[in-house]
Amino acid sequence: MTCTEVQDMLHGAETPLFWVGAFVVASMFLWIIYRLLSGFRVWVLGNGQLISPRLGKWAVVTGATDGIGKSYAEELARRGFAIVLISRSQHKLDDVAKSLEDQFGVETKIIAADFGKTNIYPSIEAGLSGLEIGVLVNNVGVSYPYPEYYLHIPDLDNFITNMINVNMTSVCQMTRLVLPRMADRSKGIILNISSASGMYPLPLLTIYSATKAFVDFFSRGLQEEYRRQGIIIQSVLPFFVATKMTRIRKPTLDKPTPERYVAAELNTVGLQSQTNGYFPHAVMGWVTTKLVPIAIVIFLGARMNRLQRTGYLNRRKQREQKNGTGLKTD
């Protein structure tokens, strides 16, 4: 093949290659514009007017006496819902109920229940009987007292049972109790509070991470089953929030107060079936699932938790030595 023939061949390919490149560039540009507009719709405009008592007079919140659960109860009461508070401590339930009644002038109902047990649901069902429930927030959850290797977890048998009952069984059972009446009315919202640790395995918090992954999968599967019936089931995956469970005392931009987190998260309902709920958390979720290889995310998570474990055990050892007792840390 002569040089002239090669030049003619390349010249003939210029036009098709130009249009292929133009198509790729245009597609990327349109994708970026779409993502920016979608982000603006979710994180700036929001969907805050969707959640109102038009869905049903009552909102039910589990794990409602502290942290994110309490903030959901307060925000839903501010929007005019009567609130059913379900948690373990009768004393705390009484305090939160009185606060909601005094501050927002709404009706409240309390149900004391230990979600670590499985025989509680008949009494919860009786307590919810006859109520028109528009919103259910499955928030109750339990984590590790400190990061730990699986076989070193104290009282492992009971630990497993309790975590599964609280983090997984509660979500399934509460949904079983509330969803049928929502489906009959073709409206209702269920918010299942998972965790960013359910987006990928988190070593040394392995059981917690796995239970939260279950909540995410359960929520997304049910959303597809019931969305045509007018039901919204949302999986909520927060990163760190300044709550008693996380032991974060000082809020920051990426570790918001529960009030700030809940206000932001409720604006995403109806726009995202799976959400990190808060813009900085959404950025963190995108980076850790789209940009960083999963092996690196797992490695860094394990490293962080090993450091936290070592720090916790060293502090505990010092306290026990001070008190004249020993501690085995292997």
Side-chain angles (χ1 to χ4, degrees):
M1 184 177 291
T2 66
C3 291
T4 301
E5 290 173 330
V6 171
Q7 289 176 350
D8 290 342
M9 183 183 298
L10 293 175
H11 181 73
E14 284 180 359
T15 299
L17 288 174
F18 169 81
W19 287 111
V20 169
F23 175 77
V24 171
V25 171
S27 298
M28 292 179 62
F29 178 76
L30 290 174
W31 180 83
I32 291 171
I33 294 298
Y34 169 76
R35 298 299 298 179
L36 288 173
L37 291 175
S38 298
F40 183 81
R41 175 72 180 92
V42 173
W43 303 113
V44 178
L45 299 180
N47 203 21
Q49 302 305 311
L50 175 64
I51 298 183
S52 76
R54 292 191 298 271
L55 295 165
K57 176 182 176 180
W58 290 86
V60 179
V61 183
T62 67
T65 56
D66 289 298
I68 289 177
K70 183 180 178 182
S71 293
Y72 269 110
E74 290 172 343
E75 178 61 26
L76 292 169
R78 188 184 68 78
R79 297 181 183 218
F81 285 93
I83 307 294
V84 180
L85 305 164
I86 309 178
S87 195
R88 183 172 56 180
S89 170
Q90 182 71 44
H91 174 69
K92 288 184 177 181
L93 286 168
D94 291 336
D95 288 346
V96 174
K98 186 177 187 306
S99 174
L100 296 179
E101 292 169 0
D102 293 344
Q103 189 173 357
F104 303 105
V106 298
E107 186 178 352
T108 65
K109 183 179 178 69
I110 60 177
I111 302 174
D114 180 357
F115 284 99
K117 301 176 181 178
T118 57
N119 61 352
I120 60 173
Y121 296 100
S123 63
I124 293 177
E125 183 175 18
L128 299 180
S129 178
L131 302 183
E132 184 186 60
I133 298 170
V135 177
L136 166 64
V137 182
N138 278 316
N139 167 75
V140 67
V142 63
S143 186
Y144 287 43
Y146 65 96
E148 185 55 279
Y149 292 96
Y150 183 70
L151 293 180
H152 292 175
I153 296 172
D155 195 15
L156 180 58
D157 186 19
N158 289 328
F159 183 89
I160 293 170
T161 300
N162 185 66
M163 186 160 288
I164 289 174
N165 286 343
V166 175
N167 291 359
M168 295 169 57
T169 303
S170 68
V171 176
C172 297
Q173 291 284 15
M174 291 301 302
T175 301
R176 174 184 67 84
L177 296 180
V178 171
L179 183 58
R181 281 170 282 174
M182 289 183 173
D184 289 342
R185 301 189 340 264
S186 296
K187 58 181 177 180
I189 293 172
I190 298 176
L191 306 179
N192 292 330
I193 312 305
S194 178
S195 167
S197 66
M199 299 168 67
Y200 25 69
L202 191 57
L204 280 77
L205 295 176
T206 299
I207 308 175
Y208 178 77
S209 175
T211 61
K212 290 302 184 178
F214 169 85
V215 173
D216 178 46
F217 274 52
F218 177 78
S219 304
R220 288 190 284 154
L222 280 190
Q223 172 61 25
E224 178 59 28
E225 291 182 29
Y226 288 96
R227 63 183 178 86
R228 293 178 180 83
Q229 298 185 38
I231 310 300
I232 294 174
I233 300 170
Q234 187 187 50
S235 173
V236 183
L237 302 109
F239 282 80
F240 287 119
V241 177
T243 65
K244 185 182 297 184
M245 177 184 286
T246 61
R247 298 183 179 87
I248 297 172
R249 297 181 180 180
K250 186 177 181 180
T252 60
L253 177 64
D254 63 319
K255 301 177 182 66
T257 64
E259 294 82 7
R260 185 175 184 182
Y261 179 83
V262 167
E265 195 285 315
L266 288 177
N267 282 331
T268 72
V269 178
L271 301 177
Q272 294 183 312
S273 60
Q274 182 193 41
T275 184
N276 294 115
Y278 175 64
F279 181 68
H281 287 190
V283 173
M284 294 161 65
W286 182 76
V287 169
T288 53
T289 58
K290 304 298 183 183
L291 293 186
V292 182
I294 185 67
I296 294 178
V297 174
I298 294 173
F299 170 80
L300 293 176
R303 184 175 182 273
M304 175 187 70
N305 283 336
R306 287 190 186 102
L307 290 173
Q308 291 185 0
R309 174 185 185 267
T310 299
Y312 175 88
L313 292 178
N314 285 339
R315 291 190 298 272
R316 195 173 77 177
K317 183 176 181 180
Q318 291 171 3
R319 288 195 303 268
E320 297 207 2
Q321 286 177 341
K322 185 178 179 180
N323 295 330
T325 60
L327 174 66
K328 185 179 181 181
T329 61
D330 62 351

